[in-house]
């Protein structure tokens, strides 16, 4: 079973093994996309293959779209050279469900793959051609927040936008789909700064700066994305090899990217985008993507980061390290930890949750607690999530504390789980687990500094907690719980007692 245009012609062979195949004329779709592209995506990684490419696949299968995606890679060219092109841009999506089942699907929506390399003229000629096409509606990115700070990468992107400007100053929407706060603003800032630098250096006229700063022509919508796509999983690899799929063994590129002809991902996914598309857009809402206004995108992010997902992750990260766990899903089989995050979300967080209306906070939280965190196929670790905890606490817990203080019908005196988690953090900083053994804390820019401070002084750090914990009784409560946690077995006792 070879993943290629020729290989999937034997539909019976693939379908007998449980694979869903493209239901449209792929050759016709590829030709139409190359002639009149609508969507170019930068970042040929796992989340793109598992999410955006699959949304378009579903819409192609339903006949709602007739053109697919063009993907471009500007960092690790080997992804295109060693995976995309040898597989004719086909990909296998293994959706890992919380009940332990796996849904297998061949995704064919990627019509063309390009390399953003200014030393490769042939590749750049094609990308410039795509950007000059009036049909192009959207350019999107999953290159991580660091990508927007990488001048060499963004210079290449701005060069392509400059091509579009010179071809007729055609409208376009440039969409960050990276998991960072106010992603569209960060992307716009990077593009505009380079355009201004070019103008001052005499490389372009001020008209180009006006073009990229005019939202009615070039828009930079905000978005909120949420989907877990870990690196290729050995269990999935063995399953595909047993089916007879060739090339399922992952390749590690020279830039340490894990690439395979399959991607595995959880079933739950959310993408909410500010509806700013001056050149129109595909009907992606029919594929589950939510389009709304800027304020609502902001609210969905706050709902996720301040209440429904990220605080639960941090609580599991802290206590997972203290209790010796190595995976999040194993923690969710611990009744004390399951109760901890359930109460954190449902009892304490939900009282002050920001409701974006387009997504139900209750339904989102239920999916986190029943499908996402317990999913045995999601091998996330508390140690990974514990990285940079000092940078995360102000948003993940400080905002909840602020909301309680500003609500006349609520009081921080009634908080039990939040202070327990903060006390757990104080114990985490000591590097001693519940068995009295030392453990290595995860990387954090403030770790060495905070480890040297007495617990009462750590709690004075408003840069760590986002609020003054001493302005009410919270600090006293946290210190009391922390004192009870000292010794062997007492962290568990505190969890049991709540």
């Amino acid at each position: 079973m070879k993943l290629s245009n020729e290989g999937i012609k034997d539909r019976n062979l693939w379908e007998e093994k449980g694979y869903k195949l493209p239901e449209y004329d792929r050759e016709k779709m590829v030709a139409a996309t190359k002639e009149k592209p609508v969507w170019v995506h930068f970042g040929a990684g796992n989340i793109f293959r598992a999410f955006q490419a699959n949304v378009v696949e579903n819409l192609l299968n339903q006949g709602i779209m007739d053109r697919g995606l063009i993907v471009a890679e500007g960092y690790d060219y080997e992804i295109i050279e060693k995976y995309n092109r040898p597989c004719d841009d086909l990909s296998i999506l293994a959706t890992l469900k919380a009940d332990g089942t796996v849904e297998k699907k061949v995704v064919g929506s990627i019509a063309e793959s390009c390399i953003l390399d200014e030393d490769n003229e042939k590749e750049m000629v094609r990308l410039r051609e795509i950007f000059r096409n009036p049909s192009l509606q959207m350019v999107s990115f999953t290159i991580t927040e660091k990508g927007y700070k990488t001048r060499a990468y963004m210079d290449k992107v701005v060069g392509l936008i400059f091509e579009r400007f010179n071809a007729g100053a055609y409208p376009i929407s440039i969409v960050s789909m990276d998991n960072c706060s106010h992603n569209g603003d960060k992307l716009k800032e990077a593009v505009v700064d380079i355009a201004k630098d070019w103008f001052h250096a005499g490389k372009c006229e001020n008209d180009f700066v006006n073009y990229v700063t005019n939202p009615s022509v070039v828009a930079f919508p905000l978005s909120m994305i949420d989907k877990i796509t870990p690196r290729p999983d050995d269990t999935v690899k063995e399953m595909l090899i047993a089916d007879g799929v060739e090339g399922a063994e992952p390749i590690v590129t020279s830039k340490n990217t894990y690439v395979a002809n399959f991607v595995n991902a959880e079933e739950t996914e959310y993408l909410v985008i500010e509806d700013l598309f001056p050149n129109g857009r595909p009907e992606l809402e029919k594929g589950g993507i939510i389009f709304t206004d800027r304020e609502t995108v902001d609210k969905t992010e706050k709902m996720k980061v301040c209440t429904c997902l990220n605080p639960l992750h941090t609580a599991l990260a802290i206590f997972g390290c203290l209790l010796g766990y190595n995976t999040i899903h194993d923690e969710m089989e611990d009744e004390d930890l399951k109760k901890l995050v359930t109460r954190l979300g449902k009892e304490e967080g939900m009282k002050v949750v920001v409701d974006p209306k387009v997504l139900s906070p209750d339904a989102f939280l239920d999916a986190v607690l029943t499908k996402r965190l317990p999913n045995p196929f999601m091998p996330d670790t508390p140690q990974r999530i514990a990285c940079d905890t000092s940078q995360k606490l102000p948003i993940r817990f400080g905002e909840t504390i602020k909301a309680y203080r500003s609500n006349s019908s609520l009081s921080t005196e009634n908080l039990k789980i939040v202070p327990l988690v903060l006390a757990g953090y104080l114990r985490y900083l000591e590097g001693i687990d519940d068995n009295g053994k030392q453990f290595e804390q995860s990387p954090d820019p403030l770790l060495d500094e905070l480890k040297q401070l007495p617990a009462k002084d750590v709690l004075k750090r408003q840069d760590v907690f986002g609020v003054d914990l001493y302005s009410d009784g919270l600090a006293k409560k946290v210190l009391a719980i922390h004192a009870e946690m000292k010794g062997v077995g007492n962290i568990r006792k505190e969890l049991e007692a709540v």
Side-chain angles (χ1 to χ4, degrees):
M1 293 168 66
K2 185 172 173 59
L3 188 66
S4 65
N5 286 334
E6 194 62 34
I8 64 169
K9 283 181 180 175
D10 190 348
R11 294 185 70 92
N12 288 339
L13 179 62
W14 288 81
E15 287 172 349
E16 281 169 6
K17 296 287 175 70
Y19 292 80
K20 184 178 167 72
L21 294 176
E23 297 166 11
Y24 50 90
D25 184 332
R26 188 162 186 259
E27 194 175 322
K28 187 177 175 184
M29 179 276 291
V30 169
T33 305
K34 287 182 176 180
E35 183 187 354
K36 289 190 174 179
V38 293
W39 183 358
V40 173
H41 183 88
F42 287 91
N46 287 345
I47 193 164
F48 161 72
R49 290 167 59 193
F51 198 167
Q52 291 91 339
N54 187 45
V55 167
V56 175
E57 180 74 6
N58 292 336
L59 294 174
L60 287 166
N61 281 334
Q62 295 170 51
I64 292 167
M65 289 180 69
D66 63 356
R67 282 164 288 176
L69 283 148
I70 296 170
V71 68
E73 177 58 38
Y75 171 68
D76 194 340
Y77 310 147
E78 288 178 65
I79 297 174
I80 303 298
E81 295 161 347
K82 294 185 175 178
Y83 149 64
N84 280 79
R85 290 175 180 171
C87 294
D88 293 328
D89 292 315
L90 293 164
S91 181
I92 294 170
L93 171 59
T95 302
L96 313 171
K97 303 199 171 184
D99 63 6
T101 60
V102 181
E103 182 184 276
K104 299 175 292 189
K105 180 179 185 179
V106 174
V107 175
S109 61
I110 301 170
E112 185 178 4
S113 51
C114 303
I115 294 172
L116 181 64
D117 178 8
E118 288 185 325
D119 294 330
N120 190 326
E121 187 59 22
K122 183 182 175 185
E123 296 286 346
M124 294 307 297
V125 164
R126 176 56 187 146
L127 278 165
R128 291 178 197 128
E129 189 178 64
I130 292 164
F131 270 74
R132 285 196 299 264
N133 200 317
S135 67
L136 188 64
Q137 297 176 323
M138 172 164 56
V139 179
S140 60
F141 296 81
T142 48
I143 60 173
T144 76
E145 185 176 356
K146 292 174 186 173
Y148 310 129
K149 300 171 186 174
T150 307
R151 180 65 187 242
Y153 195 117
M154 293 311 299
D155 262 336
K156 293 184 282 188
V157 170
V158 175
L160 293 172
I161 299 169
F162 191 45
E163 284 287 330
R164 188 166 185 81
F165 169 73
N166 287 329
Y170 300 123
I172 192 73
S173 192
I174 303 174
V175 191
S176 170
M177 296 180 178
D178 276 301
N179 188 17
C180 58
S181 180
H182 291 118
N183 47 18
D185 294 342
K186 290 182 169 74
L187 177 54
K188 180 175 183 176
E189 183 181 1
V191 169
V192 171
D193 282 353
I194 291 171
K196 287 179 177 177
D197 285 351
W198 286 9
F199 168 63
H200 292 307
K203 293 167 77 173
C204 70
E205 298 297 322
N206 198 45
D207 286 351
F208 179 55
V209 178
N210 293 336
Y211 172 69
V212 294
T213 53
N214 182 352
S216 65
V217 184
V218 178
F220 294 87
L222 299 185
S223 73
M224 186 284 285
I225 191 166
D226 185 21
K227 188 176 179 75
I228 299 171
T229 51
R231 66 172 53 165
D233 183 76
D234 283 343
T235 310
V236 177
K237 176 191 75 176
E238 297 302 333
M239 183 190 308
L240 301 189
I241 290 172
D243 286 342
V245 175
E246 294 179 24
E249 191 69 46
I251 299 162
V252 183
T253 71
S254 58
K255 291 193 173 178
N256 209 35
T257 306
Y258 283 70
V259 182
N261 63 9
F262 72 93
V263 57
N264 40 250
E266 65 169 344
E267 59 186 310
T268 309
E269 59 189 24
Y270 305 94
L271 180 52
V272 183
I273 305 176
E274 183 182 2
D275 203 354
L276 286 178
F277 290 84
N279 203 30
R281 59 171 176 77
E283 294 182 281
L284 298 174
E285 66 273 23
K286 293 182 178 176
I289 294 175
I290 296 169
F291 292 90
T292 183
D293 57 44
R294 185 180 182 88
E295 184 183 359
T296 304
V297 177
D298 208 33
K299 285 180 176 178
T300 61
E301 186 189 341
K302 284 179 179 168
M303 177 198 74
K304 179 184 95 164
V305 173
C306 300
T307 306
C308 293
L309 175 62
N310 296 31
L312 281 62
H313 255 157
T314 291
L316 289 172
I318 290 169
F319 286 103
C321 293
L322 292 171
L323 297 176
Y325 280 102
N326 292 314
T327 67
I328 294 295
H329 67 81
D330 281 339
E331 286 191 73
M332 290 301 286
E333 292 182 11
D334 182 318
E335 287 303 317
D336 292 330
L337 294 179
K338 184 178 178 181
K339 180 181 73 173
L340 174 84
V341 291
T342 300
R343 290 186 62 188
L344 176 61
K346 291 199 167 190
E347 293 180 18
E348 297 190 351
M350 275 297 165
K351 286 176 181 169
V352 292
V353 71
V354 175
D355 185 354
K357 306 299 182 187
V358 294
L359 287 175
S360 159
D362 286 311
F364 190 103
L365 179 59
D366 281 340
V368 167
L369 291 168
T370 62
K371 291 183 179 179
R372 306 183 71 183
L373 297 178
N375 191 332
F377 283 117
M378 292 291 112
D380 220 340
T381 69
Q383 292 76 20
R384 184 194 74 81
I385 296 168
C387 291
D388 303 330
T389 298
S390 71
Q391 312 297 294
K392 298 170 179 174
L393 291 172
I395 299 296
R396 299 185 181 193
F397 293 94
E399 291 301 311
T400 294
I401 293 168
K402 285 179 194 173
Y404 268 75
R405 287 175 176 173
S406 64
N407 189 323
S408 58
S409 65
L410 296 172
S411 169
T412 57
E413 286 180 22
N414 297 324
L415 290 173
K416 291 186 172 64
I417 308 301
V418 169
L420 176 63
V421 175
L422 299 186
Y425 179 61
L426 294 178
R427 177 64 183 259
Y428 170 88
L429 290 174
E430 295 169 9
I432 306 292
D433 69 16
D434 204 25
N435 292 320
K437 294 179 182 175
Q438 284 192 321
F439 67 91
E440 185 179 348
Q441 297 108 325
S442 302
D444 185 312
L446 294 181
L447 182 63
D448 291 338
E449 184 182 340
L450 295 175
K451 281 165 66 174
Q452 306 304 317
L453 297 176
K456 61 184 178 59
D457 289 344
V458 173
L459 295 184
K460 291 176 182 175
R461 295 287 294 263
Q462 292 189 44
D463 57 331
V464 174
F465 299 99
V467 290
D468 177 4
L469 294 173
Y470 283 90
S471 69
D472 55 19
L474 265 179
K476 186 178 177 182
K477 186 183 284 190
V478 172
L479 288 170
I481 299 169
H482 176 242
E484 292 294 326
M485 283 182 175
K486 292 198 177 297
V488 173
N490 288 323
I491 296 172
R492 174 66 70 180
K493 285 180 182 175
E494 286 302 302
L495 287 169
E496 290 171 347
V498 173

